[in-house]
Amino acid sequence: MSHIESSWKFAEELVTESGPLAEARQHSLELGVEPVSPAVGAQLAVVAAASAAKNVIEIGTGLGVSGLWLLRGAPQATLTSIDREVDHQQAARDAYLSAGVPVNRFRLITGRASDVLPRMNENSYDIVFVDADPGSVIEYVEHGLRLARPGGLVLVAHALWHGSVANPAKRDATTTGFRTLLTEVSTSPAVISSLSTAGDGLLQLVKL
C-alpha cells in the first residue's frame, strides 16, 4: 500500500459515525446503494457548519447517510431531498427520525430529479448536494448552480468515479461526463472550485 493510500485509509477510519448514521450506512450497503464515505460525510458536515446553511437541497436521497451528515453540520437547516425510489426515502425518513431530526427539518420529494428540479426556486439554497444518476451529473450541476444563492455551494459526490476519471484509458460516458465537468469548472469564471480526493472524490463549487 502506498503512502497516499495509507493516508486515505487513515482519514476514513478516523471518522466516527453515530448509531443512526452507522445503521443507515449498513442498510445502504446491504441494498447495494453506495453512500458517501465517512470522510466525505465529515466534509459535508464541515462545509454545512462553516456556511451556516439554512436551506439545503439534495439530489439523490439514498438511505439518508449524506442527509444525516449535512444536518449534523447544520442542525437548524431545512433539508429538501429528491429521489425516485419511495422505499429508499422511507428508510431515510426512519434514519432522520432515529437521529432525532424533527419532521419539520426535512422534506422528501419523490420523483425524477430532471422533472422536479425545474420547479424549484432559483437562488434559494445555501447548499446543493448532487449524488444521483451519474450519467446526468452535468445536468444536475447546471440545475444546482441555478438553485444555489450567490455565495452558495454546489457539492458533487463521486467526482473521481471510482478512480476512472484520472485514468485516460477510461472513456465510458459516465467517466467522460465527470472529466468534462471537472475540466469546465476549473476554468469557469462563474465559480470557485476545489476537488477533494476523500472517498470517491468530492467536487466543491462556490457560486460567484
Side-chain angles (χ1 to χ4, degrees):
M1 182 181 295
S2 71
H3 70 280
I4 294 176
E5 292 171 326
S6 297
S7 296
W8 285 340
K9 185 174 184 294
F10 178 81
E12 293 290 349
E13 294 177 348
L14 186 66
V15 179
T16 301
E17 294 188 315
S18 64
L21 256 170
E23 290 175 10
R25 179 176 301 283
Q26 183 60 36
H27 196 186
S28 294
L29 295 174
E30 289 171 355
L31 293 181
V33 179
E34 184 178 6
V36 296
S37 76
V40 170
Q43 283 197 344
L44 295 179
V46 167
V47 170
S51 62
K54 298 299 182 185
N55 292 300
V56 178
I57 187 166
E58 179 182 48
I59 306 169
T61 307
L63 276 74
V65 174
S66 53
L68 285 173
W69 273 113
L70 287 162
L71 289 169
R72 180 174 177 178
Q76 300 306 310
T78 297
L79 172 68
T80 299
S81 191
I82 304 166
D83 203 295
R84 63 183 180 182
E85 298 292 342
V86 177
D87 292 345
H88 292 175
Q89 288 199 321
Q90 183 58 55
R93 176 184 174 85
D94 293 342
Y96 299 154
L97 294 177
S98 177
V101 179
V103 293
N104 64 340
R105 290 295 180 194
F106 61 89
R107 177 174 62 146
L108 302 177
I109 299 176
T110 305
R112 295 178 63 86
S114 57
D115 296 329
V116 175
L117 290 171
R119 304 198 300 266
M120 309 306 288
N121 293 330
E122 63 182 28
N123 298 320
S124 298
Y125 295 92
D126 302 304
I127 294 176
V128 181
F129 178 59
V130 179
D131 188 11
D133 172 22
S136 301
V137 66
I138 292 177
E139 175 189 353
Y140 293 159
V141 169
E142 289 173 348
H143 278 296
L145 290 171
R146 180 181 64 83
L147 298 179
R149 63 169 175 78
L153 296 115
V154 177
L155 309 175
V156 184
H158 305 293
L160 292 172
W161 196 240
H162 308 295
S164 294
V165 170
N167 183 350
K170 298 289 187 178
R171 298 181 182 180
D172 59 277
T174 298
T175 300
T176 299
F178 275 108
R179 194 178 288 136
T180 298
L181 172 64
L182 293 169
T183 301
E184 289 183 353
V185 299
S186 68
T187 58
S188 172
V191 298
I192 296 175
S193 66
S194 174
L195 175 61
S196 166
T197 57
D200 194 28
L202 181 67
L203 175 62
Q204 303 165 81
L205 306 175
V206 178
K207 178 179 176 179
L208 299 179

